[in-house]
Amino acid sequence: MLGIGWALRRRIRSSEDFFLSGRSIPAWIAGLAFISANLGAQEVIGMAASGAKYGIMTSHFYWVGAMPAMVFVGLFMMPFYYGSRARSVPEYLKLRFDEKTRGLNAITFAIMTIFSSGISMYALAKLLELVLGWSFHGSIVVSAVIVLIYIFLGGLTSAIYNEVLQFFLIVLGFLPLVLLGLKDVGGWSGLTSKLAVVATNAGFEPGAWSHSWKYMDSPTHNPMGMEWFGLVMGLGFALSFGYWCTDFLVVQRAMAAGSMTAARRTPLIAAVPKMLMPMLVILPGMLAIGLHATRGGFLPIGDDGQPNYNLAIPMMLAHYLPSGLLGLGLTALMASFMSGMAGNVTAFNSVWTYDIYQTHIRPGQTDQHYLRVGHAATVFGILASVLAAYSATRFNNILDMLQLVFSFVNGPLFATFLLGMFWRRTTGHGAFYGLLTGTITAALHYGLTLPRGSVPGIKGGFLGAVLHTYPSEMALNFWTALFAWTGCFVATLLISLFTKRTKTDEELRGLVHSLTPRQRDGDMPWYKRPVTLAVAILAVSALLNVIFW
Amino acid sequence: MRLDVRWPIGGMFSILGIMLTLYGALSSPAIYERSLGINVNLWWGLVLLVFGLAMLWFAYRAYRESKPKVTDSTSTP
């Protein structure tokens, strides 16, 4: 595995090289890279953990969240990204608004990458602890050192190829696990009856773990503690659109496609395997909790008295796979932790060095100076990730923590993008103070509410008064995102109305919808048009929602 | 396009497939108790091998098709 990465690295000299010459990669490769940039170990561990904690409702992340958002990116957002010269979110914000908006976004983005890499680090350390029997502290140190070496050896230069490779490794490494687990419990009907025990034990209707919509009429009827409105608006709208539209680790993959049409088709092609992913990542979690409830003691109990859902996948691996295939599964996991961490730390490094340090702190230094700063930033990033990894130990489901971070960063940012792209009147001041308001709104909401059964602190409620208690961490995240989005949207709108425009129509060409030439698909046969693909994807995900209603 | 990604994917999974299949054929049946008595190494090894070979075949076909065309000379195999 490492050997292949090494061999590839020699062939592809740098990522820039890749972007310049590589704008011809086939759409299916761009599509797979698009989802594997997102299908890290975080997703595998986090979605399985959520499958165990919240049941099949976790599939809303896919069939309500990702699908419409990916279609939206492909149809409406790609033309701006592919057409403008922007290579990152901060860069787009600078072109569309001004330097200070870019700076603010760079700071929140830097914080997000640290948490993201810290969560991967926590998961890797937990895995090392479980498999090799090391202590957690020792495992953290080892993971930090490995990532440091990996980055300094230039491990990310062949990112896109590695990602496609990892995609297949994860799919082919986990499929036998799911098949064996399903066979063991007696298929879907066997699983449903086991999950009924889980649900009844937790005081819900028997079907609460195996129906995605049926119990969404009230937050008290389902394990996630959400009702349909909060879920559709918080997850489906604010969080998912925020993530897929503004996360450039993902969007960049589509920009490597050969033409505008191919770039627009990339997220749509990616949506097809993405739609089936719940089978691979959520199902093992549901199997694990089913076995936990009926055969006893499958998942270790954490300090909070709850099962540690994060260990669903590692425990399943150890339970079902014999030596041989077990190696394949573990390799798949570790490889993706490693690249997840390295990718985030590298992103932190470049945002800090170019978008913050070079622009705001010390402009006009030599390249060597910035290179040294970059190295220092990498080391700092890894140390900060260690802290984030320790804060992740407080969460029994890493997806809860990850979505919390997203609700702070992507939630408000999506409002800024929406207004910036579709309303040319949006001003730089409006965007900056709007984004600030959105982030502060998120902090206030998070500081004044608490998930049930938690103590004030890292899980919220640290501002003294707890005004509302949510039934679950995830419910708190969804509402945080929705509040943050609304705060940013309203503030940006109002401030833009009262401030003067600083950019002329000419400067905004290609950055704002009404000033960008329309995409014409008329000369393509109807079945090749992105719109056709989009409609088909939405129809199938609607169907999946009905099947698992 | 310098290197078709299907070459390394095909190569890696073919090798993994052969290794797993051999391991499955030679290992004692006792270790398959946890996998419900199924020799998953053997069967999944074969699946990986078929997948790897298919990838290699697709890569080879694309390579053969692109060969007669004169493209810019910077590309390496």
Side-chain angles (χ1 to χ4, degrees):
Chain A
M1 179 64 203
L2 286 174
I4 286 163
W6 192 256
L8 272 175
R9 203 172 78 81
R10 290 164 162 265
R11 285 180 176 271
I12 304 158
R13 277 190 304 274
S14 73
S15 54
E16 220 166 314
D17 207 21
F18 182 89
F19 273 110
L20 293 177
S21 61
R23 275 204 162 184
S24 61
I25 64 172
W28 69 271
I29 294 184
L32 286 184
F34 191 88
I35 44 168
S36 42
N38 153 267
L39 180 79
Q42 284 179 346
E43 166 148 333
V44 176
I45 297 285
M47 286 295 170
S50 302
K53 190 173 176 180
Y54 303 124
I56 202 170
M57 286 177 74
T58 311
S59 66
H60 292 314
F61 278 95
Y62 293 80
W63 303 331
V64 177
M67 288 305 117
M70 287 168 89
V71 165
F72 184 78
V73 173
L75 292 185
F76 299 105
M77 306 286 269
M78 258 352 264
F80 304 113
Y81 288 138
Y82 197 83
S84 73
R85 285 110 9 231
R87 286 271 162 79
S88 67
V89 171
E91 207 176 328
Y92 176 86
L93 290 175
K94 183 194 161 192
L95 292 172
R96 174 62 185 87
F97 301 112
D98 51 20
E99 211 48 91
K100 64 177 182 297
T101 312
R102 171 197 185 187
L104 178 62
N105 172 247
I107 292 169
T108 55
F109 183 76
I111 295 170
M112 178 170 98
T113 55
I114 293 297
F115 274 104
S116 219
S117 116
I119 291 170
S120 277
M121 191 180 276
Y122 158 80
L124 178 62
K126 221 49 197 160
L127 194 67
L128 291 177
E129 187 187 6
L130 195 75
V131 176
L132 301 173
W134 299 348
S135 77
F136 182 71
H137 305 292
S139 304
I140 285 271
V141 174
V142 171
S143 330
V145 172
I146 296 175
V147 183
L148 191 68
I149 296 171
Y150 186 85
I151 293 174
F152 278 119
L153 287 178
L156 212 77
T157 41
S158 56
I160 293 190
Y161 276 23
N162 262 334
E163 278 162 1
V164 178
L165 213 64
Q166 269 176 29
F167 172 78
F168 285 113
L169 203 59
I170 287 182
V171 171
L172 292 169
F174 285 99
L175 204 52
L177 183 68
V178 177
L179 297 177
L180 281 173
L182 264 186
K183 186 172 157 49
D184 192 19
V185 299
W188 177 251
S189 59
L191 177 61
T192 325
S193 64
K194 285 202 164 30
L195 290 175
V197 179
V198 178
T200 335
N201 285 350
F204 294 111
E205 294 281 315
W209 253 261
S210 48
H211 287 276
S212 59
W213 287 99
K214 198 174 171 189
Y215 299 102
M216 287 258 275
D217 51 340
S218 150
T220 52
H221 291 171
N222 59 69
M224 204 180 261
M226 288 303 291
E227 81 303 320
W228 63 272
F229 176 81
L231 185 112
V232 170
M233 296 310 284
L235 169 65
F237 182 69
L239 264 181
S240 290
F241 278 74
Y243 175 80
W244 290 99
C245 297
T246 65
D247 194 307
F248 257 55
L249 287 178
V250 174
V251 172
Q252 266 178 352
R253 305 305 181 248
M255 284 163 60
S259 66
M260 176 72 92
T261 315
R264 292 178 67 208
R265 223 185 283 138
T266 299
L268 301 173
I269 291 174
V272 177
K274 185 81 188 163
M275 198 156 30
L276 304 174
M277 220 41 96
M279 219 184 74
L280 200 68
V281 296
I282 300 178
L283 206 49
M286 293 166 62
L287 288 165
I289 197 70
L291 293 174
H292 181 75
T294 51
R295 293 189 194 164
F298 196 76
L299 295 171
I301 306 295
D303 299 334
D304 53 357
Q306 301 256 335
N308 189 346
Y309 301 103
N310 290 324
L311 293 177
I313 283 272
M315 295 309 273
M316 288 285 282
L317 282 173
H319 187 73
Y320 283 117
L321 300 188
S323 59
L325 210 48
L326 182 62
L328 182 69
L330 289 178
T331 312
L333 267 185
M334 292 204 184
S336 82
F337 283 135
M338 210 63 84
S339 68
M341 267 186 283
N344 276 299
V345 173
T346 310
F348 170 78
N349 171 351
S350 71
V351 162
W352 162 256
T353 311
Y354 298 106
D355 292 312
I356 301 175
Y357 188 82
Q358 191 174 22
T359 317
H360 295 280
I361 301 180
R362 296 189 63 178
Q365 301 285 323
T366 58
D367 280 357
Q368 271 189 328
H369 178 84
Y370 291 124
L371 201 64
R372 273 204 308 277
V373 171
H375 282 319
T378 301
V379 175
F380 173 80
I382 290 175
L383 291 178
S385 304
V386 172
L387 290 181
Y390 274 99
S391 57
T393 56
R394 306 287 298 277
F395 288 79
N396 60 21
N397 172 2
I398 55 173
L399 197 69
D400 285 340
M401 182 172 175
L402 202 60
Q403 297 297 330
L404 175 65
V405 179
F406 288 162
S407 69
F408 266 74
V409 180
N410 295 334
L413 188 59
F414 177 55
T416 309
F417 266 74
L418 213 52
L419 283 168
M421 282 183 166
F422 293 97
W423 192 41
R424 70 176 103 164
R425 186 71 187 73
T426 317
T427 64
H429 288 306
F432 177 78
Y433 291 106
L435 209 50
L436 200 61
T437 311
T439 314
I440 292 171
T441 313
L444 283 177
H445 178 261
Y446 173 56
L448 292 172
T449 57
L450 202 62
R452 187 187 301 146
S454 304
V455 284
I458 187 120
K459 288 202 167 176
F462 49 80
L463 289 178
V466 175
L467 299 183
H468 186 78
T469 304
Y470 287 104
S472 78
E473 283 90 345
M474 205 56 96
L476 187 145
N477 295 342
F478 292 166
W479 285 106
T480 305
L482 197 52
F483 271 98
W485 184 88
T486 313
C488 178
F489 190 85
V490 172
T492 310
L493 197 76
L494 290 179
I495 295 167
S496 291
L497 284 175
F498 291 106
T499 47
K500 256 220 287 281
R501 279 180 67 179
T502 46
K503 299 249 178 188
T504 61
D505 276 2
E506 193 50 46
E507 285 174 301
L508 294 181
R509 194 165 296 279
L511 299 171
V512 176
H513 186 70
S514 58
L515 303 170
T516 305
R518 290 287 177 281
Q519 294 304 310
R520 256 180 271 172
D521 305 320
D523 45 350
M524 272 188 272
W526 65 271
Y527 56 88
K528 275 193 174 173
R529 288 179 205 166
V531 180
T532 317
L533 195 51
V535 171
I537 288 163
L538 292 179
V540 178
S541 32
L543 187 69
L544 284 167
N545 274 310
V546 174
I547 292 175
F548 293 99
W549 190 271
Chain B
M1 250 341 257
R2 270 154 299 187
L3 176 73
D4 190 329
V5 73
R6 283 171 286 197
W7 287 117
I9 291 177
M12 187 178 87
F13 281 104
S14 302
I15 295 168
L16 278 176
I18 292 168
M19 280 163 54
L20 260 188
T21 310
L22 283 180
Y23 187 77
L26 300 175
S27 55
S28 83
I31 64 169
Y32 298 111
E33 204 179 315
R34 57 165 79 172
S35 56
L36 319 175
I38 305 165
N39 188 337
V40 279
N41 284 337
L42 180 69
W43 289 110
W44 204 253
L46 289 174
V47 172
L48 294 186
L49 185 61
V50 169
F51 175 78
L53 291 178
M55 276 288 166
L56 286 178
W57 187 69
F58 283 123
Y60 174 70
R61 217 180 50 167
Y63 171 67
R64 213 179 40 187
E65 270 168 24
S66 69
K67 222 177 164 186
K69 272 188 277 173
V70 182
T71 47
D72 56 329
S73 56
T74 50
S75 61
T76 52

